[in-house]
Amino acid sequence: MRMPRRGLVIQARTRWLLVGLALLFSLILLMYLLECAPQTDGNGSLPGVVGESMGKEYYQALLQEQEEHYQNRATSLKRQIAQLKQELQEMSDKLKSLQEKKSPKVNGMNYQGTKEQTSNDLLEFLHSQIDKAEVSVGAKLPSEYGVIPFESFTSMKVFQLEMGLTRHPEEKPVRKDKRDELVEVIEAGLEVINNPDEEDGQDEDDGVGERQLYSENDFIEGYYRTERDKGTQYELFYKKMDGMEYRHVTLFRPFGPLMKVKSETVDISRSIINIIVPLAGRTEAFAQFMQNFRDVCIHQDKRVHLTVVYFGQDGLSEVKSILESVARETDFHNYTLVSLNEEFNRGRGLDMGARAWEKGEVLMFFCDVDVYFTAEFLNSCRLNAEPGKKVFYPVVFSLYNPAIVYANQDIPPPVEQQLVHKKDSGFWRDFGFGMTCQYRTDFLTVGGFDLEVKGWGGEDVHLYRKYLHGELMVVRTPVPGLFHLWHEKHCADELTPEQYRMCIQSKAMNEASHSHLGMLVFRDEIEAHLRKQAYRTNSEAVG
C-alpha cells in the first residue's frame, strides 16, 4: 500500500486540531452558562413555609450570597479563558515565527499564509522532533557500542547483525510484518521520487524533457535503524540501469505513518576514492589483493586511486614489482607507494597515506590487505559518506578458517567461491572498526589517529570514538560487498594486556562457527564413537 500524500495527512491533522479547540471552548462556555443560571432552592420556593417566617431580609441575604458565588465562579472561568487565549496566542506567534523563517520575502513583504504553509509549520515541528534523535545528528555516546547500527537490505534480502543461534547473517524477510514494512518503504520512496514536491527543487521534467519514472526494479539498496523512543529511519537508494545518478530518499516513521524527511539526487560519477592500504611483508596476500583490485577497481569502477604505505625494507622490492606489473598490463598509473623504514603501525600508515594526497578533498577508504570488496561496495562507500556530515563504518563479513569450514573437501574452493553469507562460513565483524569511508578534511579536522598506539589494534576504536563524540553522523551497517579473508593471526608478546586480550579474542572468533568449534572440542568423543561402531560391525560380521 502506498504512503498517503503528506499534505493531505497534515491538513487532516490540522482540521482535527481546530475541531478539538472549538469543542474545548464550547464546553467552557456551557459550564459558564450553567453556573450563571439561577438555581431553585427547595424550601425557599415554597411560600408560607420559610419565606413567611423569615421575611424580606432572608431573601435579600440569600440573593446576595448567590450573586457573590456566581461572581467568583465567573471570575475563575474568565481567568481560565484568558489563560487559554494567551497560550493560543503564544502558539500562533511561534507558528508565525517559523513561517517567517521559511517564507521568502519580496521587497520586505511576506507572502500571506496558506493552508499549505500551515502544513509546513506542523512539518517543521515534526522535523524539530526528529532533530533530537540520534538518527539525524551525531550523538555523544559513552562507547563505540552505544551507537545504534543500521541493518541493510535489498528488495530480496536483509543483512543483519543480531543473529543469535537461529538467525542468519543474510536471509529473506520471513515474517510478514517485516516483509510488508520493507515493501511499503520501497514504494513510499518511489512515491516521493515520482511525485516530487516543489520544495525538493525539482521541476516536473527535471530540466531534461519528460521526467523518468522509477519502479521497484530501480531500487538498489537501503538501510534502516530504530530508536525505541523515537522511531525508525530509512535511507533508500534508487538508480536507473543506464544512468550514473542515484536518487537518495530519507524516510522517518515516528511510530506512526511514514513521513518524508528529504529527497535528493546524488551524482557519484566523478567521485574518486583513495584506497589506503598499510602493509609490512605479506607479499602473497598483497598479490591476491591486487588481483581483486584489478578486477573491481581498474576493469569495473575506474574511479580510484591506490595508496600503499609500506613499512620496512624486507619485501619492498616485490611490492614495487607487483604494482609496476599491474600498471604495465592495465595502463593504470593512479597509485602512490609510500615507503617508511620503521616498525609497522597501522594508524601511522593510514595517517601517512591520508597526508600523502596533495589534490585537495578526496573520499578515503581505509582498507587492509586481507579485505575483498566489490564494485557495489565502492558505490555504497560514496553514497554513505558526505563531507562535513557523514562518515561510513561498514561492518565486514569475516570468513572463517577454510581448513575447518571445508574440512570434508580435499582442498578449499577458490576464494571467489568462499564469498557467501552463511552461518558456518563467517560472521559479521561487529567488533571491528578498521574499514571505513570518510573524507580527508573530516579525518584531519577530528585529529586523525592516536599515533601513540603501538602494535596491533586500538587505533581504529579511538578514531571511531572521536566521531561518536563529534557532530558528524556515523553510519554503521553490515555491507554484503565487503569480506575479510581468513589469515593466520599471531599475537606478539610485546602487546599491552588489553591489546593481547583483544588479539586473542579476535583470533578465536576468526577460526570457526559455534557448531564447528563444538565439533572440534568433542572430536575425541566422536572418533571414539566411530571406533566402537566399527568394532560392533566387525563383530557382527564375524559372528
Side-chain angles (χ1 to χ4, degrees):
M1 182 177 68
R2 294 183 181 275
M3 179 185 68
R5 293 303 299 269
R6 187 201 63 203
L8 294 177
V9 174
I10 299 299
Q11 290 177 14
R13 292 178 179 174
T14 305
R15 286 199 299 270
W16 280 111
L17 177 62
L18 294 176
V19 170
L21 291 174
L23 289 174
L24 177 61
F25 278 116
S26 299
L27 289 173
I28 293 175
L29 180 61
L30 180 59
M31 292 170 59
Y32 177 75
L33 293 176
L34 289 175
E35 289 289 344
C36 293
Q39 298 180 3
T40 59
D41 185 272
N43 294 328
S45 62
L46 296 176
V49 179
V50 179
E52 291 181 359
S53 63
M54 301 297 292
K56 182 179 179 181
E57 292 79 5
Y58 170 77
Y59 286 108
Q60 288 179 344
L62 184 62
L63 288 173
Q64 184 177 357
E65 181 182 353
Q66 292 292 335
E67 184 177 358
E68 290 176 357
H69 171 74
Y70 293 139
Q71 285 179 351
N72 292 336
R73 183 59 179 164
T75 301
S76 175
L77 289 172
K78 288 179 180 178
R79 186 167 54 251
Q80 294 180 34
I81 293 173
Q83 184 178 356
L84 286 171
K85 286 183 177 180
Q86 182 180 357
E87 292 177 358
L88 284 174
Q89 183 62 42
E90 291 176 356
M91 185 180 294
S92 177
D93 291 341
K94 289 181 180 179
L95 291 176
K96 183 178 179 181
S97 175
L98 288 172
Q99 188 59 41
E100 288 176 353
K101 291 180 181 179
K102 293 189 66 179
S103 300
K105 294 184 177 181
V106 180
N107 296 328
M109 298 294 291
N110 286 336
Y111 288 113
Q112 294 296 319
T114 64
K115 291 183 178 180
E116 180 63 28
Q117 290 171 341
T118 303
S119 300
N120 290 337
D121 294 335
L122 293 175
L123 186 59
E124 184 76 21
F125 171 75
L126 290 174
H127 279 192
S128 69
Q129 300 303 305
I130 298 172
D131 288 340
K132 297 176 183 178
E134 177 201 338
V135 295
S136 291
V137 296
K140 293 176 173 55
L141 300 170
S143 75
E144 62 273 16
Y145 299 106
V147 69
I148 301 174
F150 285 85
E151 305 283 357
S152 61
F153 66 98
T154 64
S155 58
M156 297 297 293
K157 296 179 180 178
V158 175
F159 305 92
Q160 53 204 7
L161 288 178
E162 298 181 2
M163 296 187 300
L165 293 178
T166 57
R167 301 175 67 190
H168 299 275
E170 168 195 293
E171 63 183 20
K172 296 179 179 180
V174 178
R175 281 171 36 194
K176 184 179 183 300
D177 59 336
K178 173 56 67 176
R179 194 164 59 244
D180 292 345
E181 173 196 358
L182 297 182
V183 169
E184 179 192 6
V185 167
I186 294 173
E187 291 184 350
L190 291 172
E191 180 76 14
V192 171
I193 295 175
N194 292 330
N195 298 282
D197 297 330
E198 292 182 2
E199 65 186 52
D200 294 333
Q202 299 167 356
D203 298 331
E204 286 297 313
D205 58 0
D206 284 345
V208 293
E210 184 178 354
R211 178 167 54 86
Q212 283 187 323
L213 294 179
Y214 285 73
S215 68
E216 290 85 351
N217 295 330
D218 299 320
F219 175 70
I220 302 299
E221 63 183 3
Y223 309 95
Y224 69 90
R225 67 177 174 185
T226 300
E227 289 192 56
R228 298 184 186 277
D229 59 339
K230 297 179 180 68
T232 304
Q233 175 192 9
Y234 302 91
E235 303 289 342
L236 310 173
F237 296 94
Y238 302 81
K239 175 180 174 293
K240 288 289 185 184
M241 291 296 294
D242 56 349
M244 288 301 298
E245 284 189 348
Y246 286 76
R247 296 302 305 272
H248 174 207
V249 177
T250 300
L251 300 176
F252 189 73
R253 188 195 299 275
F255 295 124
L258 280 169
M259 59 172 289
K260 183 189 76 176
V261 177
K262 68 177 179 179
S263 174
E264 60 184 356
T265 299
V266 183
D267 184 1
I268 61 172
S269 59
R270 296 181 179 84
S271 179
I272 302 296
I273 299 180
N274 182 17
I275 302 177
I276 304 177
V277 181
L279 185 63
R282 308 203 56 211
T283 54
E284 291 184 4
F286 182 69
Q288 185 180 51
F289 173 86
M290 287 306 298
Q291 182 61 47
N292 175 229
F293 183 89
R294 179 203 302 251
D295 296 340
V296 173
C297 299
I298 300 177
H299 294 160
Q300 298 181 52
D301 191 88
K302 303 177 182 178
R303 292 165 290 160
V304 298
H305 184 94
L306 176 63
T307 300
V308 179
V309 182
Y310 195 85
F311 290 83
Q313 297 298 316
D314 186 19
L316 178 60
S317 59
E318 190 172 350
V319 168
K320 287 182 179 179
S321 175
I322 294 173
L323 289 171
E324 291 170 356
S325 174
V326 171
R328 285 194 309 271
E329 295 172 4
T330 63
D331 195 28
F332 176 82
H333 302 283
N334 294 332
Y335 70 89
T336 302
L337 177 61
V338 179
S339 177
L340 299 177
N341 192 18
E342 54 189 74
E343 184 182 355
F344 178 79
N345 183 311
R346 185 176 185 273
R348 162 93 167 138
L350 294 172
D351 186 82
M352 288 296 296
R355 298 180 188 278
W357 179 268
E358 299 178 348
K359 301 178 183 178
E361 182 67 292
V362 69
L363 175 59
M364 304 183 300
F365 171 38
F366 293 160
C367 186
D368 286 345
V369 71
D370 301 298
V371 168
Y372 185 101
F373 53 85
T374 65
E376 290 75 19
F377 164 74
L378 294 178
N379 287 333
S380 297
C381 180
R382 296 181 175 101
L383 292 170
N384 290 286
E386 189 173 354
K389 295 184 179 180
K390 293 191 297 185
V391 293
F392 186 41
Y393 271 85
V395 180
V396 183
F397 192 77
S398 190
L399 298 177
Y400 291 133
N401 186 345
I404 299 177
V405 175
Y406 304 99
N408 59 343
Q409 302 182 23
D410 294 335
I411 57 172
V415 171
E416 291 75 16
Q417 296 181 21
Q418 299 180 28
L419 305 177
V420 292
H421 302 98
K422 292 184 178 180
K423 189 172 269 192
D424 285 337
S425 64
F427 67 101
W428 292 114
R429 198 183 187 88
D430 60 344
F431 58 85
F433 304 90
M435 266 44 73
T436 172
C437 298
Q438 53 196 273
Y439 276 85
R440 185 173 183 269
T441 53
D442 293 331
F443 174 77
L444 297 178
T445 300
V446 81
F449 288 105
D450 182 358
L451 300 182
E452 297 300 319
V453 178
K454 304 296 183 181
W456 185 92
E459 80 291 331
D460 52 352
V461 178
H462 289 147
L463 178 63
Y464 185 72
R465 288 173 179 170
K466 286 183 180 180
Y467 281 120
L468 291 184
H469 290 81
E471 298 299 325
L472 274 66
M473 178 180 176
V474 176
V475 179
R476 181 158 172 79
T477 181
V479 177
L482 193 61
F483 295 86
H484 183 272
L485 306 180
W486 183 89
H487 63 91
E488 185 72 32
K489 186 180 294 293
H490 300 281
C491 299
D493 293 335
E494 294 78 15
L495 297 176
T496 65
E498 181 182 1
Q499 286 179 317
Y500 192 83
R501 180 188 59 80
M502 293 170 60
C503 184
I504 290 295
Q505 180 186 30
S506 176
K507 182 176 182 178
M509 296 186 68
N510 274 292
E511 283 301 305
S513 66
H514 182 278
S515 60
H516 273 148
L517 287 177
M519 296 297 286
L520 290 176
V521 169
F522 298 108
R523 180 171 55 187
D524 292 342
E525 292 186 26
I526 296 172
E527 292 177 353
H529 176 75
L530 292 175
R531 286 195 297 270
K532 291 178 181 179
Q533 290 291 329
Y535 176 77
R536 289 175 184 173
T537 302
N538 293 334
S539 298
E540 292 175 357
V542 172

